[in-house]
Amino acid sequence: LAEISDTQLVQPPQQQRSRKTMDQILDAAEVLLGEKNFDDLSINDIVEKAGCSVGAFYGRFRDKEALLHALDERYFADFIAEGEQVLTLSQWDGKSAEDIVRAVLEFLVTSYSRQRGLLRTLSLRARLRDDARFQARERQAWTLFQKLQELLLERSAEIPYSNPEIVIKFGFQTVFYSLREFILWGDMIGGISLSPEQVVSELTRIYLDYLGVPNEIQPPNRAV
Amino acid sequence: LAEISDTQLVQPPQQQRSRKTMDQILDAAEVLLGEKNFDDLSINDIVEKAGCSVGAFYGRFRDKEALLHALDERYFADFIAEGEQVLTLSQWDGKSAEDIVRAVLEFLVTSYSRQRGLLRTLSLRARLRDDARFQARERQAWTLFQKLQELLLERSAEIPYSNPEIVIKFGFQTVFYSLREFILWGDMIGGISLSPEQVVSELTRIYLDYLGVPNEIQPPNRAV
DNA sequence: TGTACATCAGTGAACGCGCGTTCACTGATGTAC
DNA sequence: TGTACATCAGTGAACGCGCGTTCACTGATGTAC
């Protein structure tokens, strides 16, 4: 399990029971964020669900904001670890660009769907406050993209443009942006609704078509 | 100039001077939203900039939220009007899908750039509160898309898929989502930075490639 | 094995701050005769 | 043209509510001798 950096905490847990309390607070908040915005969650809501007192909360976390940072760290550590596994360079030898892109998008959809509530809050937070740390963490996720870029560049013979790097980047960004919108906010903003698998398929095709890489992915016949 | 629906107001302005006060409040808030979030704006900030008192504010608007709704209405009325002009069906006779798509995306980029602050706030709002009206207004913008869809369907001979409607929809949504991210939040979330013109060009190409419509748009040689 | 002491952990009532909102009052505008 | 009255518009100090945070206190755990 991921460790939380000390700067967020009043004091790192010294005993098992306080470790347990802290985890219960983190878990409770994570669940509640599936239902409510962070701002609409009171400390009381959280500690009630966690089964401890307000004082216990402040025994662990400097303030309410620190809780969110802790959740952020916990999620991103897992995210990066899983992502690096998916993108381990060697395992993709001999595979096509299509395979790689699809795997990355599948990973993103899975990870974002699983922690939808938390990620909604975090992405709102990065936009609301100018807390550099949230933005930094969001940028950190882009380092993952570096590996994807490497893999695609190795296959740039398939890409009929003089500057493959720029289309690889812009294409990924476009696809990533809309993937995030589809998964995190797709239900609120109207428009077409496709299943997660269809979204992955279509975004893969969008990316490959844009890169100029031939593929045989067929669009769905109807929406869900 | 757009009228604000009465439901937001304590009373519609009866005299010129109150009309003026109201406009000054709206204008002041619009400017301030370019610098701050709505939540970080106090009524005092707004009335100070508008040059009136707190009481004058509440003489016009039911509450703080009503101000945002009024701004929303004012913006969207203009947006829809301009958008319908761009998409007037007749004027596109004989023009290619590429011309149409590019014009629509240019319009979106221009409109969103001009009111970046307000639109940031509105899109956050639609996600934060579950105020159905913001979401409804956001959906309303999709009606514009209906016209684009018509125009593209007329040209579906160019689209080599059995179900052109679904790719037209999904493609537009993807392109629109990422356009909005690029314009409203592009500076915060890292990644590549292209000029607005380049974004329009690339997104046009992404859309056309995805639709399977041949085009000769060339990617940029370098980012800005 | 027992005792004394330090530190950790947890409790929950009370505090306090910020900001949206109210309200008693003054002044401006319009209208009827 | 003047007067009386109703309504509109605007003022800004004071209020009040919600919720994050504090703090005085109790209990648990660990350690030294």
Side-chain angles (χ1 to χ4, degrees):
Chain A
L1 210 72
E3 283 302 312
I4 308 302
S5 84
D6 296 357
T7 57
Q8 308 309 325
L9 308 179
V10 171
Q11 186 178 27
Q14 309 284 319
Q15 302 174 5
Q16 284 179 35
R17 63 183 168 142
S18 60
R19 172 87 237 175
K20 190 180 161 205
T21 301
M22 188 172 124
D23 289 339
Q24 281 169 339
I25 292 173
L26 288 168
D27 293 341
E30 203 169 86
V31 171
L32 290 174
L33 284 177
E35 306 159 13
K36 279 190 176 188
N37 302 312
F38 188 65
D39 287 332
D40 295 335
L41 271 188
S42 71
I43 301 290
N44 262 312
D45 292 339
I46 297 166
V47 296
E48 195 175 318
K49 178 124 194 162
C52 69
S53 69
V54 178
F57 179 94
Y58 283 94
R60 298 293 110 219
F61 298 98
R62 199 159 33 74
D63 53 25
K64 195 186 177 191
E65 201 72 6
L67 167 66
L68 198 53
H69 280 290
L71 284 169
D72 191 10
E73 288 186 9
R74 191 166 79 156
Y75 170 74
F76 264 104
D78 287 0
F79 175 79
I80 297 284
E82 273 188 68
E84 280 180 348
Q85 220 165 336
V86 172
L87 280 160
T88 303
L89 301 184
S90 57
Q91 78 186 351
W92 293 107
D93 286 351
K95 302 277 189 161
S96 69
E98 180 178 333
D99 292 334
I100 298 168
V101 168
R102 185 180 290 273
V104 169
L105 297 187
E106 257 164 18
F107 161 64
L108 288 173
V109 165
T110 307
S111 182
Y112 271 60
S113 300
R114 204 166 42 206
Q115 290 283 28
R116 199 162 174 266
L118 176 58
L119 283 158
R120 281 194 192 209
T121 289
L122 291 178
S123 86
L124 288 177
R125 247 354 200 216
R127 288 157 163 72
L128 272 171
R129 320 266 167 227
D130 44 88
D131 185 322
R133 278 173 300 174
F134 287 122
Q135 293 164 34
R137 213 86 39 76
E138 198 149 315
R139 254 193 299 277
Q140 193 183 328
W142 279 99
T143 59
L144 255 192
F145 165 70
Q146 299 305 323
K147 293 207 169 181
L148 175 61
Q149 189 177 21
E150 271 181 64
L151 285 165
L152 292 176
L153 275 175
E154 285 170 14
R155 288 157 183 79
S156 61
E158 304 178 50
I159 300 174
Y161 297 110
S162 59
N163 199 334
E165 208 179 304
I166 218 168
V167 288
I168 289 172
K169 266 193 187 148
F170 184 84
F172 181 72
Q173 201 160 344
T174 298
V175 164
F176 174 72
Y177 280 169
S178 50
L179 179 148
R180 192 171 50 186
E181 293 288 290
F182 275 111
I183 302 301
L184 297 188
W185 310 103
D187 53 342
M188 305 192 73
I189 353 188
I192 203 174
S193 101
L194 297 182
S195 69
E197 296 76 36
Q198 287 176 322
V199 170
V200 167
S201 258
E202 291 311 282
L203 290 180
T204 302
R205 185 157 74 79
I206 284 184
Y207 197 14
L208 295 176
D209 284 350
Y210 175 69
L211 293 176
V213 174
N215 65 83
E216 297 297 325
I217 305 170
Q218 285 301 311
N221 284 318
R222 51 191 182 80
V224 286
Chain B
L1 210 72
E3 284 301 314
I4 308 302
S5 84
D6 297 356
T7 57
Q8 308 308 326
L9 308 179
V10 171
Q11 187 177 25
Q14 309 283 320
Q15 302 176 5
Q16 283 177 35
R17 61 183 170 141
S18 61
R19 170 90 236 174
K20 191 180 160 206
T21 301
M22 189 172 125
D23 288 340
Q24 281 169 339
I25 292 173
L26 288 168
D27 293 341
E30 203 169 86
V31 171
L32 290 174
L33 284 177
E35 306 159 13
K36 279 188 177 189
N37 302 310
F38 188 66
D39 287 331
D40 295 335
L41 273 187
S42 71
I43 302 289
N44 263 311
D45 292 339
I46 297 167
V47 296
E48 195 175 319
K49 178 126 195 159
C52 68
S53 68
V54 179
F57 179 95
Y58 283 95
R60 298 292 111 216
F61 298 98
R62 198 160 33 74
D63 53 25
K64 196 186 177 191
E65 200 72 5
L67 167 65
L68 197 53
H69 280 290
L71 284 170
D72 190 9
E73 287 185 10
R74 192 166 78 154
Y75 170 75
F76 264 103
D78 288 0
F79 175 79
I80 297 285
E82 273 189 68
E84 279 180 349
Q85 219 165 336
V86 171
L87 280 161
T88 303
L89 300 184
S90 57
Q91 78 185 351
W92 293 108
D93 286 351
K95 301 276 188 161
S96 70
E98 180 177 333
D99 292 334
I100 298 169
V101 168
R102 185 180 290 273
V104 169
L105 296 188
E106 255 163 20
F107 160 65
L108 288 173
V109 165
T110 308
S111 181
Y112 271 61
S113 300
R114 205 165 41 207
Q115 289 283 27
R116 198 163 175 267
L118 176 59
L119 283 158
R120 281 194 194 210
T121 289
L122 291 178
S123 85
L124 288 177
R125 249 352 201 217
R127 287 157 164 72
L128 272 171
R129 320 265 166 225
D130 44 272
D131 184 324
R133 279 173 299 176
F134 286 122
Q135 293 164 34
R137 213 86 39 74
E138 197 148 316
R139 256 192 298 276
Q140 193 182 329
W142 279 99
T143 60
L144 254 192
F145 165 70
Q146 300 303 324
K147 293 207 169 182
L148 175 62
Q149 189 178 20
E150 271 181 63
L151 285 166
L152 292 177
L153 275 175
E154 286 171 13
R155 288 156 184 80
S156 61
E158 302 178 52
I159 301 174
Y161 296 111
S162 58
N163 199 333
E165 208 179 305
I166 216 166
V167 288
I168 290 173
K169 266 193 185 149
F170 184 84
F172 180 73
Q173 202 161 345
T174 298
V175 163
F176 174 72
Y177 280 168
S178 50
L179 179 149
R180 191 170 51 185
E181 292 289 288
F182 274 111
I183 301 300
L184 297 187
W185 309 103
D187 54 340
M188 305 192 71
I189 352 188
I192 204 173
S193 102
L194 297 180
S195 70
E197 297 77 37
Q198 288 176 322
V199 171
V200 167
S201 259
E202 292 310 285
L203 290 180
T204 302
R205 187 158 71 79
I206 284 184
Y207 197 13
L208 295 176
D209 283 352
Y210 175 68
L211 293 177
V213 174
N215 66 84
E216 296 297 326
I217 305 170
Q218 285 301 311
N221 284 318
R222 50 192 181 80
V224 286

